[in-house]
Amino acid sequence: MRTVVLGLLAETSIHPGAGRATGVVDLPVAREAATDYPVLVGSSLKGALRDKAETVESNDIEGRFGEPDKAGDLLISDGRLLLLPVRSLSYSYRWATCPYVIERYGRDLERAGARPTPPPQSVISKAVSTKDESDQFLEERKFATLEPPDGLVDAIAPLILHEDTRARLKDQLVVLSDKDFAWFARYGLSIQARNKLSDKDTKQSVSLWYEETLPPDTVLYSLITARNPGALDALDELFPDSDPYLQAGGNETVGQGWFAVRSHRDSHR
């Protein structure tokens, strides 16, 4: 079976919802159970891809995405977190990642037969954070500045559609420890207050809630495998150069959920 890696660069805030919660945040983002990393679950991504296919009037939608009593040719994984934008005093933001995320990304690239892959020995040795000496702040915390591991930028760049955005990757990428990255993934996301008003005259609040979102420029990726090799060619139909965008997640009517999509094999773009 053939597999491609689909890069998802957030162009807007993203709310991959997990339903209601009983905590401070009424509508949190979906998270992986073991790591607590934000995730775009595969069923939601599959539905978004199917909607896109119906919009462009693609052929054989049922054959590719399935029917209630029959599985489709495309096998779509979760959208996994790779780069998380974090506020910085030295830049508008930094792209943060960690050794475990990079290791997992490398394994996924190998499974997909994609190149280049990040060198694991460099990734593990280069990822540090410190509280003793520092030349940059991320949120309110101090970290030492290190160059990203050799080969890491080249391994991530194929997921990012825009050339100008790829050019910023080397200067803005930071590799934190697994522990520090987990802190930002849990507590560094945006919390937005939303409100419902009673009517246009009194504008009295009748429902106030808080929801969590991933920031613009978050980078996720998904592996798409095809039982029938020809089914992967449908991705080219869904994301032509004139319209390489996908809406996924909640709050579509307020402009959220838009990704710039790039297949790892589409290095000519």
Side-chain angles (χ1 to χ4, degrees):
M1 292 189 290
R2 291 178 55 201
T3 300
V4 298
V5 183
L6 206 64
L8 302 167
L9 171 69
E11 299 280 42
T12 65
S13 296
I14 307 294
H15 178 66
R20 284 201 165 268
T22 57
V24 175
V25 180
D26 302 290
L27 297 176
V29 300
R31 293 179 179 273
E32 298 175 359
T35 64
D36 214 26
Y37 295 160
V39 63
L40 177 60
V41 297
S43 58
S44 177
L45 180 56
K46 180 180 178 181
L49 290 169
R50 184 176 186 130
D51 286 344
K52 175 83 172 185
E54 292 173 349
T55 299
V56 300
E57 298 182 354
S58 180
N59 296 322
D60 196 21
I61 293 175
E62 289 76 14
R64 293 167 186 167
F65 296 98
E67 302 176 72
D69 58 349
K70 182 181 178 182
D73 289 331
L74 294 178
L75 313 178
I76 300 167
S77 78
D78 293 340
R80 288 179 160 183
L81 179 64
L82 181 59
L83 300 180
L84 181 67
V86 176
R87 285 181 295 183
S88 168
L89 291 183
S90 56
Y91 284 82
S92 55
Y93 69 88
R94 293 275 193 170
W95 268 309
T97 188
C98 70
Y100 170 66
V101 167
I102 297 168
E103 175 203 329
R104 186 168 71 171
Y105 176 55
R107 297 200 314 262
D108 287 336
L109 288 180
E110 290 180 0
R111 181 154 59 98
R115 294 290 184 272
T117 57
Q121 68 277 8
S122 297
V123 168
I124 294 171
S125 65
K126 292 282 188 178
V128 300
S129 67
T130 180
K131 294 181 177 121
D132 296 326
E133 67 178 284
S134 170
D135 54 7
Q136 69 171 298
F137 278 81
L138 303 179
E139 295 286 354
E140 73 278 10
R141 306 176 65 189
K142 296 190 299 183
F143 294 89
T145 297
L146 290 179
E147 290 293 323
D150 292 339
L152 180 57
V153 170
D154 291 338
I156 294 175
L159 300 181
I160 298 175
L161 176 67
H162 309 296
E163 183 177 351
D164 291 343
T165 309
R166 291 197 300 272
R168 294 192 281 107
L169 188 57
K170 182 177 181 180
D171 292 332
Q172 292 186 240
L173 181 63
V174 292
V175 181
L176 306 178
S177 70
D178 292 343
K179 180 180 178 181
D180 289 322
F181 181 78
W183 186 91
F184 285 108
R186 289 189 182 107
Y187 308 117
L189 302 190
S190 174
I191 307 295
Q192 299 178 352
R194 299 189 63 189
N195 199 2
K196 179 181 179 181
L197 304 181
S198 58
D199 57 62
K200 63 181 180 180
D201 296 323
T202 63
K203 293 184 173 57
Q204 181 180 0
S205 173
V206 296
S207 178
L208 174 66
W209 72 94
Y210 295 89
E211 61 185 29
E212 191 175 36
T213 57
L214 289 165
D217 282 7
T218 298
V219 177
L220 303 100
Y221 69 94
S222 172
L223 269 62
I224 300 183
T225 303
R227 293 190 178 96
N228 174 9
L232 285 179
D233 296 335
L235 294 178
D236 297 327
E237 299 176 17
L238 298 186
F239 304 107
D241 291 340
S242 59
D243 184 22
Y245 300 102
L246 177 71
Q247 197 285 328
N251 299 334
E252 178 180 6
T253 59
V254 291
Q256 294 186 12
W258 286 99
F259 291 98
V261 178
R262 190 181 194 225
S263 173
H264 197 303
R265 60 182 176 173
D266 289 346
S267 57
H268 63 278
R269 268 186 179 161

